[in-house]
Amino acid sequence: MNETRQVIIIGGGPAGLAAGLYTSRARLSNLLIEKGIMGGLMVLAEVIENYPGFPEGISGYDLAELMHKQATKYGLATLVAEVAGFEVQGKLKVVRTSQGDFAARVVIIAGGSERQKLGVPGEKDFIGKGVSYCATCDATFFEGVPVAIVGGGDSAISEALHLTKYASKVTLIHRRDQLRATRIMQEKAFAEPKMEFRWSSVVESIEGDTTVNRLRLRQVATGEKSTLEVAGIFVSVGFKPNTAYLKGIVPLDAGGLIITNDKMETEIPGVYAAGDIRHNSGRQVITAAGEGAAAAINAEHFVTESG
Ligand code: NAP
């Protein structure tokens, strides 16, 4: 077992980095464990327009870098490792990772979520060959060709708008006849001449030879089938929480999200959750950061009071 700390933070998105900043400034010994790049899913956002303090917007990558820099300035320790297990051993919590086991009095779980798949024939076969889950990463591969995007939320709209800078046409396929995205995002999408909409439609299969050529669609109400010729399809149908390793240990809701009280604390004393991984989270960068800060403040009280 590696050295015991006061606080371990799982996840380096806005919730984890805010918890890192607050626990560092509280002079708690801490360790933030992140499996990939600091910032989590936030780094995929080309521009974040609703994080206070940036009236012109800021790229997710830049905001992540600033948050990381600010937390490390106050002493946040970080480790790149994948978390594979979690155990409560008396007062200690043990986090099992690809780089060994780490123990702490308090754990703040801020591991976020990952992209939901469509689960239709062809999807797996064409990943990287026309099927993508990240427009910010892959849009440039589709210069001058038609693409589709599936989903009706804020992510689908902001990714679709990004795609219009490259693709010849962007067809948004949504399973209902109304978008879920916020009004301002809807207005932008409807004003964009390169965008087309296939309402109340679902993708039944993704087809092609070496790369994607077409989608088979079904109209939900009428059952009518159609084909859409595209060179790529971007899937943006929500997220699923990274909580598989917590099942049976930390209370989860039916969707796998961690249940906490308003102090961000789970039923297990000293185990907190913050950000997209938490039931009832606001699922915004600003709310994730706020929840991370709240979890850290309550974690500090826990460490002080429980000795
Ligand atoms: P979301 O809000 O959960 O939207 C997911 C979309 O995918 C919904 O329109 C949903 O349809 C559709 N969908 C789900 N499963 C599907 C399936 N199997 N087949 C077809 N369509 C399916 O997810 P999100 O857009 O990724 O956003 C997640 C959170 O992040 C939200 O709270 C959002 O506000 C936030 N966010 C905010 C911004 C911003 O600029 N403020 C940017 C990105 C994300 P239904 O509508 O029918 O359920």
Side-chain angles (χ1 to χ4, degrees):
M1 176 97 63
N2 286 284
E3 190 190 340
T4 302
R5 323 254 167 163
Q6 286 171 302
V7 183
I8 288 176
I9 300 157
I10 301 174
L17 289 171
L21 173 66
Y22 274 70
T23 52
S24 298
R25 288 172 57 86
R27 301 287 187 232
L28 298 174
S29 59
N30 58 17
L31 178 68
L32 184 151
I33 303 169
E34 164 59 50
K35 69 175 173 197
I37 178 170
M38 287 293 170
L41 287 173
M42 167 171 72
V43 302
L44 303 183
E46 188 195 18
V47 58
I48 296 173
E49 292 177 325
N50 54 5
Y51 195 85
F54 299 95
E56 305 310 320
I58 180 166
S59 81
Y61 185 87
D62 288 348
L63 185 55
E65 218 173 48
L66 289 171
M67 284 185 182
H68 184 203
K69 193 172 168 191
Q70 190 175 2
T72 49
K73 174 180 157 188
Y74 291 102
L76 174 67
T78 58
L79 172 78
V80 178
E82 184 148 9
V83 174
F86 180 70
E87 245 175 63
V88 180
Q89 292 181 359
K91 284 187 168 182
L92 275 190
K93 285 91 196 170
V94 178
V95 179
R96 304 203 182 284
T97 83
S98 52
Q99 300 293 321
D101 297 348
F102 296 84
R105 291 295 311 278
V106 170
V107 171
I108 299 174
I109 306 167
S113 50
E114 64 183 46
R115 282 276 161 115
Q116 195 80 256
K117 308 275 188 295
L118 268 183
V120 298
E123 182 179 18
K124 261 193 204 156
D125 309 326
F126 289 109
I127 289 178
K129 299 172 191 161
V131 172
S132 170
Y133 301 87
C134 175
T136 317
C137 320
D138 296 335
T140 50
F141 297 123
F142 298 90
E143 184 86 54
V145 294
V147 297
I149 182 154
V150 189
D154 282 323
S155 301
I157 299 301
S158 64
E159 301 212 355
L161 290 170
H162 180 64
L163 284 165
T164 59
K165 293 181 192 163
Y166 303 92
S168 57
K169 186 169 81 176
V170 179
T171 304
L172 184 134
I173 301 161
H174 183 35
R175 64 184 178 183
R176 292 188 294 131
D177 61 358
Q178 268 185 341
L179 296 175
R180 176 179 292 277
T182 46
R183 288 281 166 183
I184 189 161
M185 298 300 283
Q186 296 195 24
E187 288 164 13
K188 286 184 186 181
F190 294 140
E192 170 51 58
K194 274 194 188 174
M195 291 228 24
E196 287 188 4
F197 297 85
R198 288 284 184 108
W199 299 109
S200 306
S201 298
V202 291
V203 176
E204 286 207 314
S205 64
I206 300 169
E207 297 177 359
D209 34 57
T210 52
T211 58
V212 169
N213 294 142
R214 77 195 76 81
L215 310 177
R216 304 273 180 205
L217 306 183
R218 177 171 51 85
Q219 230 279 346
V220 179
T222 61
E224 190 188 325
K225 312 246 179 181
S226 62
T227 302
L228 183 67
E229 305 286 330
V230 288
I233 169 170
F234 289 79
V235 179
S236 188
V237 294
F239 296 89
K240 71 168 198 273
N242 292 318
T243 50
Y245 68 95
L246 297 169
K247 268 184 200 141
I249 306 167
V250 175
L252 305 176
D253 71 8
L257 295 158
I258 301 173
I259 299 167
T260 69
N261 60 20
D262 57 8
K263 289 183 170 170
M264 311 295 138
E265 192 178 21
T266 68
E267 257 178 21
I268 306 168
V271 177
Y272 296 81
D276 283 7
I277 203 161
R278 196 183 72 84
H279 174 82
N280 267 349
S281 172
R283 303 179 74 189
Q284 305 288 310
V285 177
I286 178 69
T287 56
E291 291 177 21
I297 290 166
N298 291 311
E300 185 192 356
H301 294 160
F302 179 86
V303 170
T304 313
E305 284 158 20
S306 65

